[in-house]
Amino acid sequence: MGCSIWRNRINLGLLKAQSKVPMFFTMIIIFTYLFYCLAGYCETLPRPVYDQRHATSPSKYHSGQNAFQVQNSILDGAGIAKDMPNSPTKTNRTLQSSGVRALPGSDKLHSILRQIGDVQRQISDGDREQLQDASSSSISVFNSFGGKKFPQAIIIGVKKGGTRALLEFLRIHPDVRAVGAEPHFFDRFYDKGLEWYRNLMPRTLDGQITMEKTPSYFVTKEAPKRIFNMSRETKLIVVVRNPVTRAISDYTQTLSKSPALPSFRTLAFKNASTGLIDTSWSAVHIGIYAKHLENWLQYFPLSRFLFVSGERLVSHPADEMGRVQDFLGLKRVITDKHFYFNETKGFPCLKKPEGSSRPRCLGKSKGRPHPQIDPEVVQRLQEFYRPFNLKFYQMTGHDFGWD
């Protein structure tokens, strides 16, 4: 009786040991494969996931090329890299000529890796579709993909012309990625270098446009040359507005920050009795559009510019945005359906986007009521600006109707 019990226990132990043998040998094979990889013999196997050329050329990634596109551009239907420098056939011939044997059993491993490549390629395709759907979202989990590029288009002016409204409207477009704050690189921080500037930009995917807006560029003498040296292909957008209204709006903004500011009349005239306009005052100086444009045309042809009417951006936002999208080479996505007119603020707001609790309007600093300005001062400014306006119309080929 006792012997049969011990015999049964011994048989059970042998069965358990036999069941562990296959696992033991499997582990040996895995460790052997890892050892060969560490020794460098895995070069005899195809690499279905990584592009060796991409790994040795990081500039492709930094130029904004999507990692998924890099991968899929070198995969054939079976998920194996094509035309790769270290192909299995070529490497095996090299190893044989050097007296080194290729990894045994590599045919089976090739088959396994082909299956892995197929699965990974399918996953990549699915991720790429999600990327396209989520590219307009600032909180997308895929925002680490793409690259930081110099802006292909810049809103260069003018202050109090409607540049913030234009940028916010443009950000609706899924193919536009823009810096929120004004970088002021080409007027204030140029000494920090172009790499510093590029790092300020958002990441973009192929087909998306990088943009920024700094209205003071238009009146900065050095800005045209500096932007030209970055890229002569940069598209330049100028939002202009009746220079008299613009000057009053500029003064209103400054007054809100400095209540002790002298009166508009005092600042506008060098001599109130003679009615001589003080062109050194920035509120007046900015509105001499023709003079500033002459500086830009020394570096860029007129075809690189789009002049947007600040007045029409308020009265007909969809029409002006259509012109902007055409200029940037974008599909007309932003239309009438995106806008409604806010009677309180006196300018258009964006309708409530899906998932949001309220419409998007510009901040409290926009749409301030202007102080009452003496009609005589307004008339004198209109007379001062008239010849400059007419010249600007002639230079741009567009009558903005300010006179």
Side-chain angles (χ1 to χ4, degrees):
M1 181 70 177
C3 291
S4 66
I5 292 173
W6 281 107
R7 188 181 301 109
N8 289 336
R9 289 182 178 179
I10 291 171
N11 289 336
L12 181 61
L14 289 173
L15 286 172
K16 288 183 179 180
Q18 288 174 357
S19 66
K20 293 180 179 179
V21 169
M23 182 181 294
F24 176 76
F25 280 105
T26 300
M27 295 300 296
I28 289 177
I29 292 171
I30 291 173
F31 283 122
T32 303
Y33 175 70
L34 292 175
F35 171 80
Y36 272 92
C37 285
L38 292 173
Y41 290 107
C42 287
E43 287 300 319
T44 61
L45 299 175
R47 297 186 177 183
V49 178
Y50 302 102
D51 181 356
Q52 293 176 343
R53 289 169 293 181
H54 176 66
T56 56
S57 304
S59 60
K60 278 189 177 182
Y61 175 80
H62 292 299
S63 68
Q65 188 171 1
N66 191 328
F68 291 125
Q69 293 172 329
V70 172
Q71 173 183 317
N72 285 289
S73 67
I74 63 164
L75 293 177
D76 62 10
I80 296 182
K82 297 189 294 185
D83 302 327
M84 294 189 63
N86 292 327
S87 64
T89 304
K90 180 178 178 181
T91 308
N92 282 335
R93 286 200 301 266
T94 305
L95 290 172
Q96 289 170 5
S97 63
S98 62
V100 180
R101 286 195 305 164
L103 179 64
S106 60
D107 289 340
K108 183 175 291 187
L109 288 170
H110 289 173
S111 176
I112 294 171
L113 288 173
R114 272 197 295 269
Q115 296 175 29
I116 294 172
D118 287 337
V119 173
Q120 188 141 1
R121 179 163 49 82
Q122 293 170 10
I123 294 172
S124 298
D125 291 339
D127 286 345
R128 185 168 61 250
E129 292 175 3
Q130 294 180 48
L131 274 170
Q132 292 170 347
D133 293 338
S135 61
S136 62
S137 172
S138 59
I139 58 172
S140 169
V141 296
F142 295 104
N143 271 353
S144 59
F145 290 97
K148 294 190 175 187
K149 305 174 185 177
F150 293 119
Q152 296 100 318
I154 304 177
I155 302 173
I156 60 173
V158 296
K159 181 183 179 184
K160 306 308 297 179
T163 58
R164 172 55 60 183
L166 175 61
L167 185 68
E168 291 306 311
F169 296 165
L170 270 173
R171 288 163 78 107
I172 302 173
H173 203 293
D175 291 333
V176 172
R177 298 297 308 281
V179 182
E182 297 174 4
H184 282 283
F185 175 67
F186 294 106
D187 59 349
R188 298 180 189 172
F189 304 117
Y190 193 67
D191 59 335
K192 291 183 178 292
L194 284 168
E195 190 62 21
W196 177 86
Y197 178 58
R198 188 167 69 91
N199 284 331
L200 296 179
M201 300 299 123
R203 292 186 180 276
T204 53
L205 302 173
D206 288 344
Q208 291 183 319
I209 291 178
T210 304
M211 292 190 66
E212 71 117 316
K213 78 107 177 169
T214 305
S216 53
Y217 289 164
F218 189 61
V219 298
T220 300
K221 187 176 181 180
E222 299 81 10
K225 182 178 180 180
R226 290 171 175 176
I227 294 177
F228 179 84
N229 288 339
M230 177 190 72
S231 172
R232 62 185 65 189
E233 301 300 320
T234 306
K235 293 183 178 182
L236 307 166
I237 300 176
V238 189
V239 188
V240 289
R241 182 183 182 188
N242 186 318
V244 178
T245 310
R246 198 221 64 81
I248 296 173
S249 181
D250 197 338
Y251 172 78
T252 303
Q253 183 183 53
T254 307
L255 185 64
S256 68
K257 300 174 182 177
S258 306
L261 195 69
S263 69
F264 185 88
R265 172 190 281 271
T266 302
L267 295 171
F269 294 110
K270 283 185 177 180
N271 189 316
S273 59
T274 61
L276 186 64
I277 300 296
D278 187 357
T279 57
S280 66
W281 183 34
S282 63
V284 171
H285 178 71
I286 291 171
I288 310 175
Y289 302 141
K291 179 180 178 180
H292 305 308
L293 182 57
E294 285 178 343
N295 185 34
W296 285 87
L297 291 177
Q298 294 180 39
Y299 296 91
F300 292 94
L302 197 63
S303 60
R304 307 307 300 176
F305 293 85
L306 177 69
F307 300 94
V308 176
S309 168
E311 287 83 7
R312 285 187 59 81
L313 198 59
V314 172
S315 62
H316 298 84
D319 292 344
E320 284 301 287
M321 292 308 300
R323 294 180 60 239
V324 175
Q325 291 170 94
D326 292 346
F327 176 70
L328 296 175
L330 298 170
K331 181 180 178 181
R332 285 199 176 194
V333 171
I334 307 168
T335 61
D336 277 322
K337 68 181 181 181
H338 289 96
F339 301 99
Y340 79 96
F341 192 81
N342 186 308
E343 297 289 347
T344 303
K345 284 183 169 290
F347 54 76
C349 295
L350 298 171
K351 290 182 180 178
K352 183 178 72 172
E354 292 184 12
S356 176
S357 59
R358 59 181 180 178
R360 290 170 53 193
C361 282
L362 298 179
K364 295 180 180 179
S365 63
K366 308 299 180 182
R368 295 189 188 94
H370 290 178
Q372 187 67 34
I373 306 297
D374 189 336
E376 181 185 347
V377 176
V378 174
Q379 183 179 355
R380 180 67 190 91
L381 276 174
Q382 288 174 339
E383 293 171 355
F384 167 77
Y385 280 122
R386 184 171 290 111
F388 295 109
N389 291 344
L390 294 175
K391 185 176 181 180
F392 185 66
Y393 298 167
Q394 185 180 32
M395 293 172 73
T396 61
H398 187 85
D399 186 344
F400 290 91
W402 299 325
D403 301 288

